[in-house]
Every structure is written in structure tokens, then in C-alpha cells.
Amino acid sequence: MKVLVIGAGNMGLAYAKALVKSEFLSNHNLMISDTSPEKTEELKKISRFDVYTNLSDCLPKADIIFIAVKPYHAEELFSELKPMMSPDQIVISIMAGVTIQSMKDGLGITKVVRAMPNLPAQVGKGLTSFTASDEVSRLELSTVENLLDTTGRSVRLDTENDVDASTGISGSGPAYVFYFMQSMMEAAQKMGFSDHDSKVLVGQTFEGAVELFNKSDLSPKEWMKRVASKGGTTRAALDSMEDNNINSLIEEAAHAAFNRAVELGKES
Ligand SMILES: NC(=O)c1ccc[n+]([C@@H]2O[C@H](COP(=O)([O-])OP(=O)(O)OC[C@H]3O[C@@H](n4cnc5c(N)ncnc54)[C@H](OP(=O)(O)O)[C@@H]3O)[C@@H](O)[C@H]2O)c1
């Protein structure tokens, strides 16, 4: 099996690096392509996989093609790829909002997967949600799943609407966590802590809480009960959050991302 990654940006490189590190693919079975000659020259010096600037040199050799360019490059890329595609090739797109139908139409093939990764894919802790066209067989789906799992974990969903919904949770979610971290760091700085100490206080608190959550069956609500005692400091903070309806504001934010994903899909 040969895999081609189109787009050597943040996400394309995250996948390429994870794929070669995995047991599923050897170095010589991974190709990566980017339009920027500076980027490809640099990559040729530092990477162990085959690097291309010209798609006609690598696309025909690929069984599975990851598309990791920005959505606004999709149309131009599709017209370049279409005459070279063959019906057996499987395309996995991670472009936000680019629908399965627009890929089928734009590329003239039927085996397409629409995936939504998130930023922690860059450190092997990503979550990729995905759904596939009916033409992708069960066996092919399990290969796709294995490839996506190399950057963390993947979840197969039934519909594209589910992928849009997951965009509001896991796709955009890391930014919500960073928002919360930023607010806590600003609070710490206002209390007089240095930038360095604020970062340590907040970073370690998040890491510890996430590890507790992942290593147990308790829900966040149950964990909150364990930290907060009646009349104590944590209860004071949680009461303040509840009085300010932080819960419904977060829910609203996630829905805003979901709605935007649906809108982007319609535009595509
Ligand atoms: N970053 C995230 O957290 C995240 C999460 C979920 C989904 N995504 C999706 O992942 C995709 C990639 O995002 P990114 O942050 O990795 O973008 P990026 O860093 O801009 O990388 C895209 C790369 O593709 C290159 N490119 C553009 N057109 C090309 C073509 N025709 N052939 C080959 N290479 C081409 C770009 O070159 P130039 O710079 O020269 O244009 C750039 O190097 C996006 O569609 C985004 O929606 C990203």
C-alpha cells in the first residue's frame, strides 16, 4: 500500500510523520507533495519519505491519498487531480467543510472519506472523527481507521452531519481548552504570579485533571464533587461559574462551531 499526503503544512506533516512512525507503512511507501519548492527542498533534507512538487509524479502511484490543503485550495486542486485519478484510489480529506459529494464531483471518483482531525494530532494525541462514502468497503474502512489512528484515536460516524457536530466538540475543542487556560493564566497573573509560574500552575493542573478523568470511570461532574467540599474554596468558584451560566455559554459556543461547519459544507 502506498500513501500520498498532499499539503506539507501543520496537519499534512503531522500525518506524514505519524504514518512513517507506525507499523502500517514503511518509509518508501509514503509520499508527500507540496506546491512550495522551498518547503519540499527543506523536507527532502530532513525527512525519510519521498517528497514531490509535481503531483503527476506521485499521484498515479498512490493507493490512498490524504488531502491536507486549506479548503479554499480544494477547487483548484481537484481540477488538477481529476484527470489523473483512478476509480480504485481512496481519498481521505481533512479539509473542514468539504463534503463527500463535492469530492466525488470534483475528483470523479467514489471512494472518499471525510475526516475531521484536531490539533493534538501533532503530538500523537489527536482525535479524528470520520465518515465515508458507501463505496468504501469494510476492509478499506478498517485500513483507513488504522491510518487515522496513527495520530491518536479515531471515531467512525454515520453521517456528515455527525462530522459537523464533532467539529463543534473535538475539532474546535482544543481552542476552548486554550481559552479556559488563557483565562486561568490571566487570573493567576492578576494575583501576582509571574508568567512562568502561571504557566506551570495552569499547565500542570490541566494535565493532572485530564489524566484523572481518562484513567477512571468517573464523570467530570463526579470529579467536581470530589474536589469541592461544602463551604470550601472550590465550591465558591463553581457557584460563581454556575451563577454566570458558563455551562450554557460553552454549549452555545460549541453549537456556533457546529453551525459554521454546516454553513461551510453548504458553501462547498
Ligand atoms: N490545523 C488544524 O487544527 C486543523 C484541524 C482540522 C482540520 N484541519 C484542516 O486541515 C487542512 C490543512 O490545514 P493546515 O493547518 O495543515 O494548513 P497549512 O499549514 O496551510 O498547510 C497546507 C499546505 O498545503 C499546501 N498546498 C496548497 N495547495 C496545494 C496543492 N495544490 N498541492 C500541494 N500542496 C498544496 C500549502 O502551501 P502554501 O502555504 O504555499 O499555500 C501548505 O503548505 C485544512 O483544510 C484544515 O481545514 C486543520
Side-chain angles (χ1 to χ4, degrees), residues 6-12 33-36 39 55 68-71 73 77 80 94-96 116-119 122 171:
I6 302 180
N10 301 310
M11 295 310 274
S33 135
D34 199 281
T35 36
S36 149
K39 205 175 272 179
L55 281 168
V69 305
K70 294 281 190 203
H73 281 134
L77 177 67
E80 187 184 353
I94 62 163
M95 294 180 288
M116 174 48 61
N118 66 8
L119 202 57
Q122 292 181 14

Side-chain angles (χ1 to χ4, degrees), residues 2 18 29 37 41 54 84 88 101 106 115-116 129 144 169 175 203 228 261:
K2 271 196 175 281
N29 282 330
E41 281 317 307
N54 200 339
M84 298 187 273
D88 290 338
Q101 193 56 49
M116 174 48 61
S129 53
V144 165
I169 305 296

Side-chain angles (χ1 to χ4, degrees), residues 209-220 222-223 226:
V210 168
E211 189 147 348
L212 280 175
F213 175 68
N214 281 336
K215 287 193 169 161
S216 82
D217 291 330
L218 296 185
S219 69
E222 286 164 325
W223 276 116
R226 292 210 172 185

Side-chain angles (χ1 to χ4, degrees), residues 70-145:
K70 294 281 190 203
Y72 56 80
H73 281 134
E75 206 175 327
E76 191 191 344
L77 177 67
F78 287 177
S79 18
E80 187 184 353
L81 294 177
K82 194 171 186 175
M84 298 187 273
M85 297 292 306
S86 88
D88 290 338
Q89 288 174 314
I90 301 172
V91 164
I92 304 174
S93 156
I94 62 163
M95 294 180 288
V98 178
T99 61
I100 286 185
Q101 193 56 49
S102 70
M103 285 190 268
K104 282 181 164 183
D105 295 341
L107 294 166
I109 55 159
T110 57
K111 291 173 189 274
V112 290
V113 175
R114 181 175 163 195
M116 174 48 61
N118 66 8
L119 202 57
Q122 292 181 14
V123 290
K125 299 262 180 186
L127 185 286
T128 304
S129 53
F130 72 101
T131 192
S133 63
D134 294 341
E135 291 81 358
V136 182
S137 72
R138 282 172 78 100
L139 189 66
E140 288 165 338
L141 270 178
S142 99
T143 305
V144 165
E145 203 157 357

Side-chain angles (χ1 to χ4, degrees), residues 141-179:
L141 270 178
S142 99
T143 305
V144 165
E145 203 157 357
N146 284 333
L147 295 177
L148 293 175
D149 280 348
T150 59
T151 56
R153 291 175 70 171
S154 68
V155 177
R156 180 147 67 90
L157 302 171
D158 291 334
T159 66
E160 288 191 78
N161 191 58
D162 293 339
V163 174
D164 287 333
S166 75
T167 303
I169 305 296
S170 52
S172 304
Y176 316 160
V177 175
F178 294 135
Y179 190 96

